[in-house]
Amino acid sequence: MHAGARRARRKASDPDRCLADKDITLRYLVDYHPASHFWPLQLVETGILLALAALAVALAFRVLRRRHA
């Protein structure tokens, strides 16, 4: 392998350099909730899922009752 091929291969394997050469900047925004919010968020999520499950069960019983009444 000649030097030009090695350079091209090395350049192609470096995504940061490739993006910088093309003037592309990537910014990632990461936002975390504090640890003290973990259980309250879990309880809210659980409540929402339980409410949706109860709604689905109620609709299923309603449909079955109408079809088999």
Side-chain angles (χ1 to χ4, degrees):
M1 188 182 302
H2 65 285
R6 278 193 295 254
R7 192 173 340 148
R9 184 173 172 196
R10 183 178 29 194
K11 188 174 184 179
S13 67
D14 185 8
D16 293 331
R17 181 181 297 250
C18 179
L19 291 171
D21 289 344
K22 297 178 181 3
D23 292 326
I24 298 173
T25 58
L26 298 175
R27 294 187 183 133
Y28 296 99
L29 177 63
V30 179
D31 191 17
Y32 295 101
H33 291 282
S36 63
H37 291 187
F38 179 77
W39 287 114
L41 287 172
Q42 289 292 312
L43 290 173
V44 168
E45 182 180 357
T46 301
I48 291 169
L49 291 175
L50 286 175
L52 289 174
L55 180 64
V57 168
L59 289 173
F61 273 106
R62 189 173 190 178
V63 168
L64 289 173
R65 207 175 262 192
R66 284 188 179 183
R67 288 190 180 187
H68 294 287

